[in-house]
Amino acid sequence: MYSEIYPHDITVDELKALPNVKGVVIYGGPNHIVDGERIDVNPGIYEAGFPVMSIAHELAKCEEAYNTWEEALPHLKTFVFDTCHAEANWNMKNFVADQIELIRRQVGDKKVLLALSGGVDSSVVAALLIKAIGKQLVCVHVNHGLMRKGESESVIEVFKNQMDANLIYVDATERYLTKLDGVADPEQKRKIIGAEFIRIFEEEARKLEGIEFLGQGTIYPDVIESGLGKSATIKSHHNVGGLPDYVDFKEIIEPLRMLFKDEVRKAGLELGIPEYLVYRQPFPGPGLGIRIIGEVTADKVRIVQDADYIYREEIAKAGVEGLGQYFAALTNMRSVGVMGDERTYDYAVALRAVNTVDFMTAEAAEIPYEVLNKVMSRIINEVRGVNRVFYDLTSKPPGTIEFE
Ligand code: XMP
């Protein structure tokens, strides 16, 4: 079933102008009292001629009113199919086919530029655009050198080698290390990483001619956040701090703007993207830059990449499932240890794994002790420069998921 979310102040005219509306569900919820005032929809909505169901909204007068979601749920199907006469014809196959057609019409014989980070959203947009317009899509993948181990390689393998995309790969590792040299403050690191990304993307865009469209992996939660109905402004928290607004694009293409994350994943599978890419855990734009406490150096990047790779490998081998996010980070702490007959003075790696529903709150996950022990022993033995491994038990709040 296809549905869209609108703010309470949508007018009757706006509602009527939407194509193919079969019915309206009004949800009040605990947040419909603002500054002591109860917020209601425009009263005309109730008389606009659409079937209306209200949930947790005592101001509604309509016939079909329920106090809670739990109360409403058993009646939802009857409301949607019998009262509204809606049809269950919205599925991923149709969505993908429709979007391909729409993109072809919108783009014509022009070109689209896309920053392909390798995250789920940009990967699915890329696959959709490749299916729709093939080589008229130009993907730019910037490796800031703060990717997880093997990440950029898998982007190249899947998109360039398997899907035959027009992919520009920019290895900016050295450039980032130079920019980040001596910088220890977390906010400053984030700013440098974001600003440099914009500069690189702009340099690449300038080299290309006749690009009229910019593709973006905006998804429905971003659209809701940035004010419904308006085209989402360039997604600032995505892909390292947004894209330059002085690169002159005629239009933005956001084929996923009506999808929630689980639907984006389904679209990805429909488009033939490998499961390991579709189900990958979130990875922050600034990458390992915020998983290395303090100054970033090539050696610290190597340590955290190798430790993280071992951790992921062992979690996969042990079949631990349901983790929201898990990774290795490099603390800035060095301590004394022994290795053979030698005294060492090396870094401590911290392992983190959380269970979370929405990433706003999180609990440290209960990874089986044998798995943690195996990861610890492999990291100590295989990653030079580490002599201690910690497991972070902190929940969010008070901690955050990332370390910086
Ligand atoms: P925190 O550390 O704030 O993280 O508990 C919550 C979620 O957001 C991700 N995260 C980021 N993602 N750019 C991103 O694209 C960022 O700067 C950033 N900081 C945190 C984090 O990985 C987790 O999923």
Side-chain angles (χ1 to χ4, degrees):
M1 178 52 51
Y2 181 76
S3 63
E4 292 182 5
I5 299 171
Y6 284 90
H8 69 280
D9 56 358
I10 184 171
T11 65
V12 175
D13 287 345
E14 284 167 338
L15 181 63
K16 285 189 169 166
L18 297 172
N20 216 11
V21 176
K22 303 280 190 194
V24 177
V25 175
I26 297 170
Y27 178 63
N31 297 326
H32 79 289
I33 299 175
V34 178
D35 290 339
E37 272 205 42
R38 286 167 197 278
I39 307 290
D40 196 7
V41 294
N42 283 309
I45 301 276
Y46 298 108
E47 279 95 47
F50 302 108
V52 177
M53 174 193 255
S54 89
I55 304 167
H57 186 56
E58 70 271 28
L59 295 177
K61 298 170 293 280
C62 63
E63 275 174 42
E64 192 150 358
Y66 301 96
N67 292 324
T68 60
W69 265 117
E70 291 71 23
E71 226 178 84
L73 263 180
H75 306 281
L76 207 53
K77 245 187 176 162
T78 320
F79 175 74
V80 169
F81 296 115
D82 299 347
T83 314
C84 300
H85 303 292
E87 282 171 58
N89 57 3
W90 194 76
N91 58 46
M92 261 321 140
K93 212 181 182 71
N94 294 346
F95 172 83
V96 166
D98 288 352
Q99 287 304 319
I100 288 174
E101 187 50 38
L102 287 170
I103 292 166
R104 282 184 186 149
R105 261 191 245 165
Q106 190 184 355
V107 175
D109 59 0
K110 304 291 192 305
K111 285 185 183 162
V112 181
L113 185 64
L114 176 75
L116 175 61
S117 68
V120 181
D121 304 342
S122 69
S123 295
V124 175
V125 174
L128 199 51
L129 286 163
I130 291 166
K131 275 254 159 73
I133 55 167
K135 291 280 163 70
Q136 285 163 257
L137 170 72
V138 183
C139 300
V140 177
H141 175 70
V142 178
N143 177 3
H144 49 26
L146 303 166
M147 297 292 204
R148 280 178 291 213
K149 187 168 167 171
E151 193 103 297
S152 286
E153 289 79 355
S154 75
V155 169
I156 293 169
E157 170 56 29
V158 170
F159 290 96
K160 198 175 181 100
N161 300 349
Q162 292 175 22
M163 295 194 183
D164 198 24
N166 199 346
L167 173 70
I168 297 170
Y169 172 65
V170 185
D171 184 353
T173 307
E174 287 306 321
R175 197 167 154 168
Y176 268 93
L177 283 173
T178 310
K179 283 275 167 191
L180 289 168
D181 188 28
V183 183
D185 177 70
E187 274 314 301
Q188 216 184 333
K189 286 199 298 190
R190 273 175 196 270
K191 283 206 183 103
I192 290 171
I193 296 170
E196 199 58 14
F197 180 85
I198 291 175
R199 228 165 275 141
I200 293 169
F201 192 79
E202 199 220 6
E203 282 169 22
E204 293 305 318
R206 279 217 189 105
K207 285 186 212 157
L208 303 161
E209 298 225 329
I211 304 250
E212 296 205 1
F213 297 89
L214 178 71
Q216 277 212 113
T218 314
I219 68 171
Y220 203 42
D222 309 320
V223 175
I224 297 171
E225 251 172 51
S226 53
L228 281 149
K230 295 160 206 136
S231 176
T233 42
I234 291 184
K235 202 175 168 184
S236 64
H237 57 280
H238 188 62
N239 297 346
V240 211
L243 298 173
D245 45 39
Y246 42 92
V247 176
D248 210 8
F249 294 104
K250 202 171 114 195
E251 266 177 78
I252 289 180
I253 296 193
E254 300 172 310
L256 310 180
R257 68 193 309 277
M258 285 301 168
L259 300 188
F260 285 104
K261 197 78 174 191
D262 58 322
E263 295 167 329
V264 173
R265 294 192 210 276
K266 280 187 197 146
L269 293 177
E270 187 68 38
L271 286 158
I273 300 178
E275 282 199 14
Y276 75 86
L277 269 184
V278 165
Y279 289 105
R280 72 171 14 163
Q281 51 174 322
F283 185 64
L288 303 179
I290 58 171
R291 293 180 183 172
I292 293 171
I293 314 278
E295 192 187 339
V296 175
T297 64
D299 205 42
K300 286 181 176 177
V301 173
R302 169 195 60 82
I303 291 177
V304 79
Q305 278 180 338
D306 288 350
D308 184 72
Y309 192 79
I310 290 171
Y311 190 27
R312 283 190 282 143
E313 215 169 49
E314 292 301 327
I315 290 280
K317 252 195 245 166
V320 181
E321 284 183 355
L323 301 175
Q325 204 167 347
Y326 60 97
F327 55 86
L330 186 62
T331 74
N332 212 12
M333 188 198 96
R334 292 166 83 195
S335 64
V336 174
V338 282
M339 191 73 119
D341 294 335
E342 304 256 329
R343 175 185 175 280
T344 59
Y345 189 61
D346 281 335
Y347 282 109
V349 159
L351 303 176
R352 181 105 168 108
V354 294
N355 296 321
T356 176
V357 176
D358 55 9
F359 297 90
M360 303 294 284
T361 60
E363 295 291 331
E366 288 188 33
I367 308 276
Y369 184 77
E370 315 81 72
V371 180
L372 288 176
N373 204 38
K374 178 85 185 290
V375 175
M376 176 279 295
S377 118
R378 279 195 60 195
I379 290 176
I380 299 285
N381 285 309
E382 295 173 34
V383 186
R384 192 169 31 83
V386 180
N387 68 356
R388 244 171 243 274
V389 177
F390 297 143
Y391 184 68
D392 184 357
L393 288 171
T394 322
S395 56
K396 173 183 177 177
T400 50
I401 295 174
E402 301 291 345
F403 278 61
E404 283 195 337

